[in-house]
Structure formats: C-alpha cells, structure tokens
Amino acid sequence: MTSTSVDLRKPVPLSPLLRLLIVTQLAFNIGFFAVLPFLSEHLGQAVGMAGWLVGFVLGLRTFSQQGLFVVGGALADRYGIRPVVLAGCVLRIAAFGWLGYAERTGAVIGAVLLIGFAAALFSPAVESEVARQAVIHEEAGGQRTRVLALFTVAGQVGAFVGPLLGALLLSVDFRTVCLAGAGVFVLVLAGHAWMLPQHIPGRQRVRLEGGLGVLVRNRRFLALCCAYGAYLLAYNQLYLALPDEVERATGSQSALAWLFALSSLLVVTAQLPVTRWVGSQLSLRRSMVAGLLLIGAGFAVVAVSRPADWTGTAGLLPSAGFVVLLTFGQMLVAPVARAWVPDLAEEGRLGLYTGALSSVSGLIVLIGSSVTGSLLDGGLPAAVPWLVLAVVPVAAIGLLPRR
C-alpha cells in the first residue's frame, strides 16, 4: 500500500473515540510504569527471593502478557472492546492491590500473572480499535501512521511519567506504589465505563472458532510478525547488550539512565514530525525498510568502534549513536507495523491479528534473547555479537510483504 500525499497544513481532527483511546494509552502506562520498575528490587529485598526466582517471576509476567495478547484480541473480536477493556481494568486493579499485600512467593506469582493477563485483555482491544479507527481517519483524508504515532507518543509519555510517580511514592513504601497504580486504573475504569460506547459503528462481532486457523495460513501477516519480531529483538538490546557496553566503557551502568532519557526525549519530540514527513513520502513497506536499516546501522556503529576499545566519555559515544539510530528506527517501524495490520487481517478479526502480532513477535524475542545472551557471553571477539545483531534487522527486510 502506498501512502497518498495529504495537506500537512490542515490535519484532519481526531474523532472523540480516537482521543479517548490515545489518552487511555497514556493512563495505562502511567499506572503500569509507576509499579514495574521497582518490582525486581521489592521481590529481592522485601520478599527475599533469590535472583533466579526474581528473573523467573518477571519472565512469567512477560509471558502472561505478550503470550496471551492473541487471546485478548480474539475476545475483543467476539464481544467488542468495551467489556474486554473494562474486565482488564478490573483485573489490573485487583492485581496491583494483591501485589501490594503479597508477602509469600505463591501470592506474588499469582499477582504478577494477573497483572500480565489484565494487559493481555485491554491492550490488544485498545490497539486493534486504534488501528481500525486509523484506517477510518485515513479514509477521511488524514494519515493512518500519524494516529499510530500519537498512540506511541502517549505511551512513551506515560512510560516516562510513571516511574517518576512511583519513585516519589516509594519514599513511603512499595505498597503505596501499588495502591497508587491501582488508583490510576480505577480512574481509567470509571472513565471508560462512562465514555466508551456500547457499540462502535462498523465493528463486527465474529465467532471465536476458525480465526486462528486462517491466521496461521496467512503468510504475509506471519512475515510481518517475523520482521516486527526482529525489530523487537533489536530494541530489547537496550536492556541486554547496551548495559554491558556501557559498563565496559565507564565501569558502571549509571549512564544508562541518561541514554534511556535520551531515547524517550527523542520519541516525545520527534515522533510526530518524523511520521508526518515519512507518511507523505514513503509507503508502509519503505518506511519499515528505512527503519530496519537505521536499526542495523546503530549496531554497526558499536561494532566498528569496539576494536578501538574506547573508555570514559569517548567510550559512550558509540552507545549514544546506537540509541539515537535505534530510536529513529523505532519511530519508523513501530507505528507502521501496527498501521499495516488492518490491510493483512481477515475481515472482523483485527483484534486477533493485533494480538497475534505481539504474541508471535514476543516469542521471537524470547528465543532470540537466549541466543543473544549466548553470543555476549561466548568469548567471541568484541565486535562479533554487535555485527550479528546488525545483520538481524537488515535480513528481516527480506521478510516484509511486497504487496
């Protein structure tokens, strides 16, 4: 699909439903990230879990969320987004409250699983409707990718504000942090119970049976999932490969906070201008190609500099270059991949396909991260893991659907 040129001076206004869903993403992330960054320390120190068990619990949270997105998406197709979103909010409120009072391992695991499953309900429901409304927005003369970019920016702002709120409340205790997170979702629940329509015009409800079989035979959609999974695997290196490189260069990981802040600042300030320009110049496929090339270049910057073994401030420059290129690549790939799903999804099953995009790509990240960890710990020449990682997003270009 090729984007058409639009009048950038007169953007088409967003519908009330789109505005609600974009604000929803902001609120979701404020509530979630007020709690999540402080969970591992709480589990290790306050609950007294061993390090391996902390990692296992955090992995369970990821599995119960990403792995079950496809379930939440299918339920949204069958019952509509309102009941699925409201149920997810109720479960998240209960889960945060449970986590705040959980003191035993079994209770903690139950609360964490519930936190993940709640997101597996409301996130694909919201994301699929945003994608569907983005298509309607495009038909009215707007840009589909601009809508998804706004959605991305709202999520990024929430991910930035949430930890600040959590850090402020952590001076009281972790239970207060959890209850504050639950309070955010109480507000989200009340707002959606009042404002989210019972029936959204044009949204069909379909039976659960048969959808998954058609999906697994949809080669073009699965190819997009694999390419998107390659991007997510690359993005995950902010938490795996980058900390090792920063510690090598400076002797500690304290500079990571500044690099993460740089990434967030770039997304918040540049996402919309980048999307506006790219949307008027490039097709969806070419946008993803450009983004994957930028990501590959980011890994190549570190690979080329590693033989020099720079340290100190100079040693951080390749890492900063990696973060900048990866972030600009993310700005191109993430909104476009979501915008592409409606063109590949079966009629009436956009929720299922939106959820599957996250579930399939999340499985790729799970497997790929294990391989990446082996590369980083394998005693190979320092540049080799980064070169291999540079190849992954570039190779994924060949998977992108051509029509």
Side-chain angles (χ1 to χ4, degrees), residues 139-379:
E139 292 169 350
Q143 282 186 335
R144 186 190 311 192
T145 50
R146 177 176 176 269
V147 173
L148 277 301
L150 281 167
F151 190 74
T152 299
V153 170
Q156 194 69 46
V157 172
F160 180 77
V161 173
L164 298 179
L165 174 64
L168 180 65
L169 296 174
L170 198 62
S171 60
V172 182
D173 58 17
F174 183 74
R175 179 174 295 169
T176 301
V177 174
C178 290
L179 294 179
V184 171
F185 279 89
V186 168
L187 295 177
V188 173
L189 175 64
H192 282 69
W194 177 42
M195 300 177 66
L196 197 59
Q198 292 278 358
H199 175 69
I200 299 173
R203 181 147 194 148
Q204 304 176 19
R205 296 188 183 184
V206 298
R207 296 174 62 86
L208 294 175
E209 296 83 1
L212 192 59
V214 175
L215 186 150
V216 298
R217 293 191 295 272
N218 189 333
R219 294 183 180 180
R220 297 177 67 227
F221 173 72
L222 293 179
L224 176 64
C225 290
C226 290
Y228 189 69
Y231 146 71
L232 283 181
L233 177 61
Y235 186 80
N236 197 53
Q237 302 316 308
L238 285 173
Y239 311 103
L240 188 58
L242 182 63
D244 284 351
E245 174 61 16
V246 169
E247 186 162 359
R248 179 207 63 80
T250 65
S252 75
Q253 295 187 5
S254 59
L256 276 176
W258 294 101
L259 292 174
F260 289 160
L262 172 63
S263 178
S264 296
L265 181 64
L266 285 173
V267 172
V268 171
T269 58
Q271 176 74 74
L272 291 179
V274 167
T275 301
R276 189 180 303 118
W277 182 85
V278 169
S280 65
Q281 302 295 324
L282 301 177
S283 67
L284 297 180
R285 187 179 192 279
R286 289 180 177 177
S287 296
M288 285 199 69
V289 168
L292 291 169
L293 287 174
L294 284 174
I295 291 170
F299 286 104
V301 165
V302 180
V304 169
S305 68
R306 281 298 280 115
D309 206 29
W310 296 334
T311 58
T313 302
L316 281 177
L317 292 177
S319 295
F322 164 72
V323 169
V324 169
L325 290 168
L326 178 68
T327 303
F328 275 102
Q330 172 198 2
M331 292 182 206
L332 295 178
V333 172
V336 167
R338 296 192 190 101
W340 205 340
V341 173
D343 294 338
L344 303 174
E346 181 189 1
E347 184 69 24
R349 297 194 184 274
L350 185 54
L352 173 66
Y353 279 72
T354 301
L357 178 68
S358 293
S359 293
V360 173
S361 56
L363 179 61
I364 291 171
V365 172
L366 180 63
I367 298 170
S369 294
S370 300
V371 176
T372 301
S374 299
L375 281 173
L376 293 171
D377 296 335

Side-chain angles (χ1 to χ4, degrees), residues 13-260:
L14 300 179
S15 67
L17 178 57
L18 265 177
R19 290 197 294 268
L20 172 64
L21 295 175
I22 289 169
V23 172
T24 294
Q25 180 70 354
L26 170 67
F28 280 172
N29 277 11
I30 289 176
F32 179 70
F33 285 100
V35 177
L36 187 68
F38 312 103
L39 179 58
S40 61
E41 183 177 2
H42 171 73
L43 296 181
Q45 295 188 5
V47 181
M49 289 185 177
W52 70 268
L53 187 54
V54 171
F56 176 71
V57 170
L58 295 179
L60 281 177
R61 199 278 310 168
T62 301
F63 171 77
S64 64
Q65 179 172 322
Q66 296 292 124
L68 297 179
F69 258 46
V70 66
V71 175
L75 291 174
D77 290 336
R78 177 64 183 88
Y79 299 106
I81 70 166
R82 179 183 167 89
V84 177
V85 169
L86 296 183
C89 289
V90 170
L91 291 180
R92 179 58 66 85
I93 293 165
F96 276 164
W98 187 5
L99 181 63
Y101 287 90
E103 297 179 352
R104 297 182 180 276
T105 299
V108 169
I109 290 175
V112 167
L113 285 172
L114 197 58
I115 286 172
F117 182 62
L121 289 180
F122 57 64
S123 286
V126 169
E127 289 175 13
S128 64
E129 188 57 34
V130 167
R132 199 178 72 84
Q133 292 294 323
V135 174
I136 296 172
H137 183 76
E138 183 179 63
E139 292 169 350
Q143 282 186 335
R144 186 190 311 192
T145 50
R146 177 176 176 269
V147 173
L148 277 301
L150 281 167
F151 190 74
T152 299
V153 170
Q156 194 69 46
V157 172
F160 180 77
V161 173
L164 298 179
L165 174 64
L168 180 65
L169 296 174
L170 198 62
S171 60
V172 182
D173 58 17
F174 183 74
R175 179 174 295 169
T176 301
V177 174
C178 290
L179 294 179
V184 171
F185 279 89
V186 168
L187 295 177
V188 173
L189 175 64
H192 282 69
W194 177 42
M195 300 177 66
L196 197 59
Q198 292 278 358
H199 175 69
I200 299 173
R203 181 147 194 148
Q204 304 176 19
R205 296 188 183 184
V206 298
R207 296 174 62 86
L208 294 175
E209 296 83 1
L212 192 59
V214 175
L215 186 150
V216 298
R217 293 191 295 272
N218 189 333
R219 294 183 180 180
R220 297 177 67 227
F221 173 72
L222 293 179
L224 176 64
C225 290
C226 290
Y228 189 69
Y231 146 71
L232 283 181
L233 177 61
Y235 186 80
N236 197 53
Q237 302 316 308
L238 285 173
Y239 311 103
L240 188 58
L242 182 63
D244 284 351
E245 174 61 16
V246 169
E247 186 162 359
R248 179 207 63 80
T250 65
S252 75
Q253 295 187 5
S254 59
L256 276 176
W258 294 101
L259 292 174
F260 289 160

